[in-house]
Amino acid sequence: MTYDSTLKYLVEKYPQAFTRWLFNQQPAEDIEIINTELSTEPMKNEE
């Protein structure tokens, strides 16, 4: 397991605790996880 996937797992599983640790303050009640992964398919130039 890479560092990136480990971090992603922890943030998705425990968003409140991660936010509290990162910013050293109590986070908002509702935290929405947004998928920001890039597509692995190459872009095709349609001319």
Side-chain angles (χ1 to χ4, degrees), residues 28-44:
E29 288 184 23
D30 52 342
I31 295 177
E32 180 182 353
I33 305 297
I34 300 173
N35 183 3
T36 59
E37 297 218 9
L38 298 175
S39 173
T40 57
E41 288 189 30
M43 292 179 62
K44 295 180 181 176

Side-chain angles (χ1 to χ4, degrees), residues 12-29:
E12 289 177 348
K13 186 81 172 172
Y14 310 104
Q16 295 283 344
F18 186 80
T19 306
R20 188 171 36 254
W21 170 78
L22 185 63
F23 297 111
N24 197 25
Q25 65 183 14
Q26 189 64 28
E29 288 184 23

